Amino acid sequence: KKYQQELRFCESVLSEIMSKKYIKFNWCFLQPVDPVALNIPTYLKIIKKPMDFGTIEKNLKAGQYQTAKDFYNDCMLVFHNCYKFNPEGDEVNRMGHQLNEVFDKLWSE
Ligand SMILES: Cc1ccc(Nc2c(-c3ccc(O)cc3)nc3c(C)cccn23)cc1
């Protein structure tokens, strides 16, 4: 029972964070980073565990998360990877912080 409620909460947070209303700062995080398309061959050397909200959505739907905490940890990975690769002040880094703020508010409900 409790697990089902946790799962539904994760689904609601995810659909909100991925919604079009935040397109200005979520669009870089909705699908896996493509190091070839983005011409960033060093990406996979710097980022050991790539993660994005499209992959998280797949994982959630496939029942890959045992707890809400596991879901939360993958969401944090999206943000931490972003801050590690994109220097402070860069556009994508700022987008990460903006989306992170939205996530924190939703998660604290
Ligand atoms: C030369 C260069 C510099 C920065 C970027 N960042 C970046 C990222 C990115 C997202 C998450 C992440 O952990 C790392 C990178 N996604 C993009 C997109 C979709 C378009 C343009 C830039 N993007 C790309 C190329």
Side-chain angles (χ1 to χ4, degrees):
K1 191 81 184 58
K2 184 173 175 317
Y3 172 71
Q4 293 307 326
Q5 280 162 340
E6 284 196 350
L7 216 56
R8 259 196 304 285
F9 178 71
C10 293
E11 284 164 359
S12 67
V13 170
L14 192 63
S15 77
E16 179 70 6
I17 211 78
M18 295 182 79
S19 74
K20 291 262 175 299
K21 75 168 101 167
Y22 303 119
I23 196 71
K24 279 200 176 61
F25 45 85
N26 72 12
W27 66 276
C28 285
F29 310 110
L30 301 180
Q31 61 288 317
V33 171
D34 181 344
V36 176
L38 295 171
N39 189 26
I40 45 177
T42 60
Y43 186 72
L44 294 175
K45 290 181 191 51
I46 296 166
I47 300 302
K48 293 306 158 209
K49 195 187 173 205
M51 191 47 66
D52 66 278
F53 289 108
T55 299
I56 290 171
E57 186 180 36
K58 281 204 192 82
N59 292 346
L60 194 58
K61 287 200 164 85
Q64 309 275 313
Y65 296 120
Q66 271 64 45
T67 66
K69 198 67 192 162
D70 293 337
F71 166 85
Y72 177 86
N73 290 337
D74 267 0
C75 294
M76 288 302 115
L77 199 48
V78 178
F79 297 122
H80 295 150
N81 288 348
C82 171
Y83 305 146
K84 184 173 184 185
F85 186 82
N86 302 282
E88 280 299 318
D90 277 20
E91 183 53 30
V92 174
N93 182 292
R94 266 207 302 279
M95 289 159 66
H97 281 295
Q98 286 174 286
L99 194 63
N100 203 159
E101 265 173 46
V102 173
F103 182 90
D104 287 348
K105 283 196 188 79
L106 292 166
W107 195 255
S108 66
E109 267 163 19

